[in-house]
Amino acid sequence: MTLDNLLLMVPFTALVGGLIMAFYRLLIGPSLADRVVAMDLMAAMAISIIAFFAIVTDEAVLLDVVAVVALTSFLGTIAFAYYIEVRKT
């Protein structure tokens, strides 16, 4: 393992660790709002992992995937926020 590979594995491992912790919060979240925030965080982590992989492999087409996932995640978060607001009343 070269130093370059080691330096690439450190941020990737941190992103995957954050994704696992967010998934844990998604499973045990005491309220629906906690679960929505955890799902949004998981989407942000997935976007970061895909973008990191696109930069490392020099694949520009993956950045289109990042844009689609980001827009879908944003719309999903807005939909859940609307659902939580409507459910209160």
Side-chain angles (χ1 to χ4, degrees):
M1 180 176 276
T2 65
L3 182 61
D4 290 339
N5 289 343
L6 183 64
L7 290 176
L8 291 176
M9 289 301 289
V10 170
F12 182 74
T13 305
L15 288 170
V16 171
L19 186 67
I20 291 170
M21 287 187 277
F23 183 71
Y24 178 71
R25 174 50 77 186
L26 179 71
L27 291 178
I28 66 160
S31 69
L32 181 61
D34 291 331
R35 288 187 170 100
V36 170
V37 170
M39 188 64 123
D40 191 40
L41 179 62
M42 286 177 60
M45 289 288 183
I47 290 166
S48 301
I49 290 170
I50 295 169
F52 180 74
F53 189 72
I55 292 169
V56 169
T57 60
D58 200 26
E59 292 286 334
V61 72
L62 290 176
L63 297 177
D64 294 335
V65 173
V66 166
V68 169
V69 172
L71 289 172
T72 306
S73 168
F74 173 72
L75 291 176
T77 302
I78 295 299
F80 271 121
Y82 179 75
Y83 172 72
I84 290 171
E85 184 67 28
V86 168
R87 199 177 95 176
K88 282 183 184 178
T89 58

